[in-house]
Amino acid sequence: MRVLLVGAGGVGTAVTRIAARRDFLTCMVVADYDLSRAEAAVAALGDAGDRFRARRLDASDEEAVRRVLVEENCDVLLNATDPRFVMPLFDSALAAGVHYVDMAMSLSVPHPTAPYEQCGVKLGDEQFARAEAWERADRLALVGMGVEPGLSDVFARYAADELFDEIDELGVRDGANLTVEGYDFAPSFSIWTTIEECLNPPVVYEKDRGWFTTAPFSEPQVFDFPDGIGPVECVNVEHEEVLLMPRWLDARRVTFKYGLGDDFIAKLKTLHELGLDATAKVTVPGPDGPVAVSPRDVVAACLPDPATLGDRMKGKTCAGTWVKGTKNGSPRETYLYHVVDNEWTMREYGSQAVVWQTALNPVIALELIAEETWKANGVLGPEALPPQPFLDLLGAYGAPWGLREEI
């Protein structure tokens, strides 16, 4: 398989380190707007990097992306950029006639008059609107194939297939006990994406109501995470799983709750109150005259790059899907989960736990696509495909998953 990887940040670099250990890959072109980042990702592989090479590429330039896909004879485009570039990369892959995989979906737009009650443009709506074109092209756009969304959706499909007869709720629950030495505020993932997820109206799905929204950080719930992480308060956050799972799985309710903590929530609220979460550019003085900048980009530039925090991080992160329903007429609750220890990922891969856990899953998906174990067309979420081969490969990659019975 020949892959164009667009984005050589923390997740993209972790993708190269994971993929370098697998035989399915023939060539991976590592592309980034900043050529030095792409070159650094390839150079870090050392002798294992003979199947990798770096190129400069602007993810917003659809024609340039299409041209590279054709020139490099690629089979698939793996998008490791932030969600702003989903649609140009998604459309470029279709134009070039290749498969497409991403870890975050096209952006939402809140409802203009009732943002905390009704959905406006939902996450992924733009991509699903092109589903027929992907079907006609006989190409697969596998969307939301990170850890959350991604592995959490695979867990949901496995639970529906193997563990439950009826499902009352699919609830993705994410928590961690990670700390970063020397920083009072140092998000372990892209702050641009974190702001987008946490300050947009969260979406909830109910079978008799459809999709609807609530206020940010609503419905707090203390969830006990495994492997020593312990109880963490989780709140509603906008996330793709809620938009993906109901398309393929039968559940009365679907939610996503994230363990943020009071201090993190307070800082996000302050950014919002100051207008520093905005993406529209404002004009500020510069040494050579006025400069137009996005407040959110300024916030991101002022914070440490999450990919560089691994040496200062301690603890574990857990992604998982809590399922409540019935089996053989009896009530059942389970939590399917994946825990990653930062000390292990740093020692084994030189990548911090959160970006490594995110990067692992699209690489597994690429292997399944290359082997034609996952063979489909159209715009699909992970829950549309057989879960067992994916879960088997998790163990083969040295990152097994767990299952906890709640009752």
Side-chain angles (χ1 to χ4, degrees):
M1 172 179 274
R2 298 179 64 85
V3 178
L4 173 63
L5 168 67
V6 184
V11 173
T13 296
V15 162
T16 65
R17 294 171 182 178
I18 297 166
R21 302 188 183 190
R22 305 300 295 185
D23 293 336
F24 76 90
L25 187 71
T26 304
C27 174
M28 179 173 281
V29 179
V30 184
D32 197 280
Y33 188 80
D34 181 349
L35 178 60
S36 66
R37 291 208 309 178
E39 290 174 333
V42 173
L45 299 174
D47 293 341
D50 59 325
R51 293 173 292 164
F52 297 75
R53 64 173 175 271
R55 287 191 66 154
R56 185 191 180 280
L57 186 61
D58 180 351
S60 68
D61 187 338
E62 291 185 31
E63 176 53 31
V65 175
R66 187 202 64 79
R67 189 166 56 249
V68 170
L69 286 165
V70 173
E71 288 174 359
E72 298 287 354
N73 195 28
C74 291
D75 302 296
V76 60
L77 186 158
L78 174 56
N79 176 3
T81 63
D82 74 52
R84 289 174 289 184
F85 302 105
V86 162
M87 290 313 298
L89 293 174
F90 179 83
D91 288 340
S92 298
L94 179 60
V98 305
H99 301 306
Y100 169 87
V101 179
D102 66 27
M103 291 163 269
M105 296 172 65
S106 59
L107 292 169
S108 64
V109 179
H111 191 279
T113 59
Y116 303 136
E117 296 155 5
Q118 300 178 40
C119 294
V121 176
K122 301 187 299 299
L123 291 168
D125 275 357
E126 287 187 85
Q127 290 172 286
F128 283 115
R130 291 159 166 75
E132 288 187 6
W134 282 86
E135 291 168 8
R136 288 195 301 270
D138 194 27
R139 291 294 178 266
L140 171 64
L142 180 57
V143 296
M145 192 60 256
V147 59
E148 291 173 341
L151 179 56
S152 52
D153 303 75
V154 174
F155 284 152
R157 174 62 184 268
Y158 179 82
D161 287 355
E162 305 292 340
L163 306 179
F164 290 83
D165 296 324
E166 293 185 344
I167 294 176
D168 294 323
E169 182 167 351
L170 292 167
V172 181
R173 301 292 183 264
D174 180 303
N177 61 1
L178 294 167
T179 58
V180 182
E181 180 184 354
Y183 291 97
D184 294 326
F185 185 59
S188 57
F189 201 70
S190 161
I191 187 61
W192 200 101
T193 303
T194 301
I195 289 172
E196 184 73 18
E197 292 176 349
C198 294
L199 293 179
N200 276 350
V203 180
V204 175
Y205 173 84
E206 292 180 357
K207 193 171 184 178
D208 60 355
R209 187 176 173 183
W211 286 294
F212 62 94
T213 57
T214 71
F217 317 119
S218 58
E219 298 182 2
Q221 169 197 9
V222 175
F223 192 84
D224 188 16
F225 289 91
D227 284 11
I229 295 174
V232 178
E233 185 177 81
C234 300
V235 294
N236 280 329
V237 168
E238 181 191 47
H239 233 250
E240 286 91 342
E241 291 94 325
V242 179
L243 288 310
L244 286 170
M245 290 178 183
R247 296 176 186 269
W248 289 280
L249 303 177
D250 186 9
R252 293 184 178 90
R253 181 175 166 88
V254 183
T255 57
F256 179 95
K257 293 188 179 182
Y258 193 9
L260 295 171
D262 291 341
D263 181 65
F264 198 95
I265 289 172
K267 286 182 169 65
L268 289 174
K269 287 181 175 178
T270 299
L271 290 174
H272 178 64
E273 289 163 0
L274 295 174
L276 295 175
D277 61 325
T279 57
K281 292 184 177 182
V282 297
T283 301
V284 298
D288 300 315
V291 179
V293 296
S294 158
R296 193 184 300 186
D297 287 341
V298 173
V299 172
C302 291
L303 291 172
D305 179 353
T308 67
L309 296 176
D311 290 334
R312 294 173 174 264
M313 285 175 61
K314 293 182 179 179
K316 300 176 181 178
T317 183
C318 178
T321 303
W322 166 74
V323 190
K324 179 181 179 180
T326 59
K327 179 69 174 179
N328 297 326
S330 299
R332 187 178 194 182
E333 288 185 39
T334 64
Y335 183 57
L336 299 88
Y337 64 89
H338 188 248
V339 174
V340 176
D341 188 325
N342 186 73
E343 181 181 354
W344 181 83
T345 61
M346 287 300 296
R347 182 178 68 249
E348 293 293 320
Y349 286 89
S351 296
Q352 56 104 319
V354 177
V355 300
W356 185 89
Q357 189 183 42
T358 303
L360 170 67
N361 299 284
V363 178
I364 293 175
L366 290 175
E367 184 161 342
L368 292 173
I369 294 168
E371 295 173 345
E372 296 192 349
T373 304
W374 276 6
K375 185 175 175 62
N377 60 40
V379 180
L380 302 180
E383 55 278 279
L385 297 162
Q388 192 64 61
F390 190 100
L391 297 176
D392 290 344
L393 272 182
L394 269 180
Y397 275 64
W401 60 286
L403 170 64
R404 183 177 72 187
E405 295 287 348
E406 304 291 279
I407 60 172

